[in-house]
Amino acid sequence: MVDSKQVYEKVQNCVDAIRKVTDFEPKVALILGSGLGNYADQIDIKCEVSYSDIPGFPVSTVPGHAGRFIFGYVGSVPVVCMKGRVHFYEGYDITDVVLPTRVMKGLGAQILFVTNAAGGLKYGFEAGDLMLITDHISVFVRNPLIGPNIDDFGTRFPDMSNVYDKELSDIIRQTALENNVPLKEGIYTQLTGPSFESPAEIRMLRTLGTDAVGMSTVVETITARHMGMRVCGISCISNLAAGMLPEPLSHEDVQKAADKVGPMFEKLVTECVKKF
Ligand code: HPA
């Protein structure tokens, strides 16, 4: 049984630990997926806090997900940026996977901007495409809100009819146009991983309406919506999904492909955040 009181106190303890280091109040919380690893270069950094310095904070075991919070400004907008995140497949409790999202809200963030690397399913998508996330499918992962509801965070049965904020999504579309960044749109499905999907699973997901698949993001989004944060997101299509090309998938290839679009991805995220 999830101990909600313990979950709540852990979040508060993390917030308190960070508050001992900085009083920076972010407006936008950014979760950086593969391909945005160098995003910190775009930020006028005021303070950094390593996850390992925050008592109880989950620290990632995945190569390429080095972990720390970066506080600073994108244009004049105060942001907190997660360089590195933990995934459910690493073995963490789902409440730990979403703890950083709750901590960022606790520090003042009102908007959550999620990014990830994802496999593309939709015909016409190519590796290197960027996809605005317009909706998601969460049913293959454990819902992070399972357990007694934490009323201090939000309501028992949060509405999910407008998960990805229309106004923020319009800003992203407009900004992509202005900067000549081609932007696809679609529905993201989170699976647990860590194995990549089989071709049969990819066909199933496509039948269900999935355009891109990955191993993160949706649980953070649900948690953010529970707390009333506005959410927007972009996937970097790092590969076509299993079975769509003759070669097998590897984490290294996914990482390399995501890194290749990195500069365009960074430009788009920066120009969007400045308008939030
Ligand atoms: N499947 C799941 N997760 C992923 C993929 C994929 O093809 N690419 C990047 N993350």
Side-chain angles (χ1 to χ4, degrees), residues 28-231:
V28 178
L30 263 164
I31 302 182
L32 305 180
S34 303
L36 276 179
N38 296 323
Y39 187 72
D41 299 347
Q42 308 290 317
I43 300 176
D44 174 15
I45 299 176
K46 295 298 170 198
C47 179
E48 298 188 42
V49 181
S50 290
Y51 300 155
S52 55
D53 291 336
I54 308 169
F57 202 88
V59 179
S60 178
T61 57
V62 188
H65 283 268
R68 61 184 190 276
F69 280 123
I70 297 166
F71 298 91
Y73 291 89
V74 173
S76 60
V77 179
V79 304
V80 54
C81 166
M82 283 188 77
K83 189 169 161 64
R85 55 145 67 107
V86 296
H87 300 81
F88 189 51
Y89 61 72
E90 291 176 77
Y92 292 99
D93 196 277
I94 197 70
T95 56
D96 275 337
V97 176
V98 300
L99 175 130
T101 303
R102 288 173 164 158
V103 169
M104 293 191 289
K105 171 71 164 51
L107 294 169
Q110 298 148 35
I111 292 174
L112 178 67
F113 196 150
V114 287
T115 68
N116 57 45
L121 277 75
K122 192 169 174 168
Y123 295 116
F125 277 12
E126 287 172 33
D129 281 346
L130 298 181
M131 183 192 91
L132 176 73
I133 304 174
T134 55
D135 205 345
H136 69 219
I137 294 175
S138 74
V139 294
F140 299 104
V141 280
R142 185 176 169 85
N143 192 297
L145 308 181
I146 287 174
N149 187 52
I150 306 176
D151 297 335
D152 286 299
F153 289 144
T155 179
R156 170 76 290 187
F157 300 108
D159 176 53
M160 291 288 146
S161 23
N162 290 299
V163 184
Y164 297 89
D165 190 272
K166 288 202 160 43
E167 204 180 308
L168 298 176
S169 297
D170 276 343
I171 292 174
I172 295 174
R173 288 185 184 98
Q174 186 60 35
T175 308
L177 262 179
E178 286 164 11
N179 290 276
N180 294 316
V181 175
L183 185 66
K184 305 275 171 56
E185 299 198 6
I187 293 167
Y188 177 91
T189 296
Q190 179 176 358
L191 302 190
T192 64
S195 47
F196 285 115
E197 303 71 37
S198 68
E201 286 164 344
I202 291 300
R203 288 193 295 275
M204 173 195 74
L205 291 171
R206 191 181 294 114
T207 306
L208 295 179
T210 301
D211 299 313
V213 64
M215 305 175 193
S216 67
T217 302
V218 172
V219 290
E220 288 104 327
T221 296
I222 290 174
T223 304
R225 291 298 299 138
H226 182 230
M227 298 183 294
M229 295 177 85
R230 298 166 72 200
V231 180

Side-chain angles (χ1 to χ4, degrees), residues 117-120 196-197 213-215 238-242 249 254:
F196 285 115
E197 303 71 37
V213 64
M215 305 175 193
S238 54
N239 56 282
L240 290 183
L249 299 180
V254 164

